[in-house]
Amino acid sequence: MAEVKPMFQEVLPKQGQLSVEDITTMVLCKPKLLPLKSLTLEKLEKMQQAAQDAIRQQEMAEKEQQQITQ
């Protein structure tokens, strides 16, 4: 059976220090704050508020017209 030679040859330093870092540590990052309301919900609320304001203005205009005609 043929021997398989590794592609890379292992090299160890003859002087100095050899250090291996196997320890995994937790990395803390900034908390990501989520909005309480989604952007879509805020848009819908604005549209609803605008529609209610338009209805109120129409009702006030109708009341003024009725008062003028009386």
Side-chain angles (χ1 to χ4, degrees):
M1 196 188 263
E3 289 186 31
V4 179
K5 293 184 179 179
M7 291 180 71
F8 300 103
Q9 183 179 8
E10 187 176 290
V11 177
L12 295 175
K14 294 185 175 149
Q15 290 181 339
Q17 293 181 344
L18 176 65
S19 65
V20 178
E21 297 180 15
D22 286 3
I23 302 167
T24 56
T25 58
M26 291 181 60
V27 177
L28 299 177
C29 61
K30 285 185 174 180
K32 294 181 173 100
L33 299 177
L34 298 175
L36 296 176
K37 292 184 180 180
S38 68
L39 293 176
T40 308
L41 181 60
E42 287 182 8
K43 287 179 185 177
L44 287 172
E45 286 179 347
K46 285 180 184 178
M47 289 172 54
Q48 186 178 18
Q49 186 67 34
Q52 286 177 350
D53 290 343
I55 290 171
R56 284 189 195 126
Q57 287 177 353
Q58 287 177 355
E59 289 174 350
M60 292 178 84
E62 288 175 2
K63 286 181 182 178
E64 288 176 3
Q65 286 291 337
Q66 289 176 355
Q67 289 177 357
I68 292 173
T69 57
Q70 289 180 355

